[in-house]
Structure formats: C-alpha cells, structure tokens
C-alpha cells in the first residue's frame, strides 16, 4: 500500500536529482554531451536511491534496460531522470524536469515533478489546486520541438493560443501554476514522460486522459503511451469534443 512516505520519497529523490543536474550544468558544457551526462548521472542517483529505500519495488526508467519482472510486481517506480534533455543542454533554459512516480496495482499513487532551474518541486503529498483561470483566450501548452498537427488544428478551432515549452513535466505543471489552461500531446511519448506529471496533476484536481478520453494506463508490456490531455476540469468536455471532431475528419480521409 502506498503511504505518504512514498510521496515524500518521490519529492526528495526528484529534488536530489535536480540538484545534481544543476551542479553538472554549472560545471560547464552544453548540447547533447551535457544532456547525455545529465541523463546518466541523474538515473544513477535515482536508481541507487530507490534500491536503498524501496529494495522490493521494481523500476521502469527511460535510461535503464527494461525487464519483464516489473509486469508481475505490485509496485513499480516510473522515472524519467531528465525530461527535456534538449532544453537542459541549452543553458540557461529552465523548461526541463525530473519525474518520479509510483504505480501500484493498476494506479499511479504517488509522484513528484522537480523543476530544478525554477527551484520548484510539485508533489502529490500536499497538492495545491490551480489558481482561478485568467480571462481571455484559451492557452494550450505544446511541444516546443514537436508541435503535433492535432494541437495546431485545435488552436484554430478553439481560437486558442499555443504556448511552446520543453519538458512534458513543465507543460503539465504549467496548468497547475495557471500559466496555461491545458496541455495536449499526440504522438511519440512513453510512460515515463507522463506518469509523474499525471500523478501530480490528478492530485491537484486536474483532468487527465488520453486524447480519446480513455484512461491513461501504466506499467504495460509496451511502455509507449503516445498521447494525453491535462487540463482544468471545466475545459475537458470542450477539448475532448474538439479533438474527436478532428480525429473523425482524419479517419474519413
């Protein structure tokens, strides 16, 4: 059974990995070399921390070899040691994150998203609801490097403003902070990209699903989980309806 200690551990480890990444960045370097070093070092820290503190749990990490053992485990930590590697390698960009989530018997039960460059950790332990929505056009966070065609079509349909950002964790928690109203992605993500952001967003009362409205399922044999919607709950119906119209039109072609 997950405990509040699991949530605190997720936040503690995410913050520690973030501190390590800041130190590496301050030591110099940039680009892919820095990103690779950061991925490797943060992964080692998280894996070591989980093995020491939760030795009976399985781990699914973007930076470690996957094994079938996790599929029969009751508890699986799903981690992305450095989400937004491209942005991390472009100092002083701040839109990169550390993701730590705990899946237990079918559900995400704890998690944390650290934004080290902003000195912020969003966790499931003491979630805060997003601030009241700002009047004006709908704002949708979108991938800075891979903006999906779907989201560009949505922006036209809903007269929304697209706000490009790096890490998925940064985009999802931007909804929490009231910087945007929604985050929509379609294509090319895995469980480690969204597990911790979704755990944190749900704990704060946000709506999370796949773009067809179906549940996001984790610890699957194939960790590909290519799309998601994270938004203020009052916007979910409008967003999903607009996405369904687009998907239907694409299916008719």
């Amino acid at each position: 059974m997950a405990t509040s200690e699991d949530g605190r551990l997720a936040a503690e480890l995410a913050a520690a990995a973030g501190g390590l990444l800041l130190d590496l960045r301050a030591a110099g370097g940039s680009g892919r070399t820095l990103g690779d070093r950061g991925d490797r070092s943060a992964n080692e820290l998280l894996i070591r921390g989980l093995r020491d503190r939760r030795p009976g749990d399985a781990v699914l990490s973007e930076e470690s070899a996957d094994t079938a053992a996790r599929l029969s485990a009751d508890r699986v930590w799903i981690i992305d040691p450095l989400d937004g590697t491209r942005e991390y390698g472009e100092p002083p960009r701040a839109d990169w994150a550390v993701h730590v989530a705990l899946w237990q018997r079918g559900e995400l039960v704890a998690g944390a998203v650290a934004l080290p460059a902003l000195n912020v950790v969003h966790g499931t332990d003491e979630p805060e609801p997003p601030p009241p929505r700002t009047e004006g056009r709908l704002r949708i966070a979108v991938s800075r490097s891979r903006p999906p065609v779907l989201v560009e079509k949505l922006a036209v349909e809903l007269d929304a403003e697209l706000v490009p950002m790096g890490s998925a964790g940064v985009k999802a928690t931007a909804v929490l902070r009231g910087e945007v109203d929604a985050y929509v992605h379609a294509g090319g993500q895995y469980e480690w990209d969204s597990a911790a952001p979704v755990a944190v967003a749900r704990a704060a009362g946000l709506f999370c699903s796949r773009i067809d409205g179906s549940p996001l399922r984790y610890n699957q044999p194939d960790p590909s989980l290519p799309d998601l919607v994270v938004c203020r709950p009052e916007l979910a119906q409008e967003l999903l309806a607009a996405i369904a119209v687009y998907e239907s039109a694409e299916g008719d072609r």
Side-chain angles (χ1 to χ4, degrees), residues 21-28:
L21 288 164
L22 287 174
D23 289 344
L24 282 176
R25 208 187 203 196

Side-chain angles (χ1 to χ4, degrees), residues 95-111:
D95 48 348
W96 50 278
V98 179
H99 297 175
V100 179
L102 175 61
W103 172 97
Q104 180 171 301
R105 299 172 189 166
E107 297 292 341
L108 296 173
V109 293

Side-chain angles (χ1 to χ4, degrees), residues 105-148:
R105 299 172 189 166
E107 297 292 341
L108 296 173
V109 293
V113 175
L115 311 178
L118 301 179
N119 194 29
V120 170
V121 178
H122 293 285
T124 54
D125 246 19
E126 297 180 355
E128 294 185 9
R133 182 168 180 253
T134 304
E135 294 294 329
R137 297 173 69 195
L138 184 70
R139 301 160 299 168
I140 303 176
V142 64
S143 172
R144 168 190 173 227
S145 57
R146 297 176 294 133

Side-chain angles (χ1 to χ4, degrees), residues 205-218:
L206 296 179
F207 174 87
C208 303
S209 77
R210 297 196 62 177
I211 59 172
D212 63 358
S214 63
L216 292 148
R217 301 192 186 284
Y218 293 89

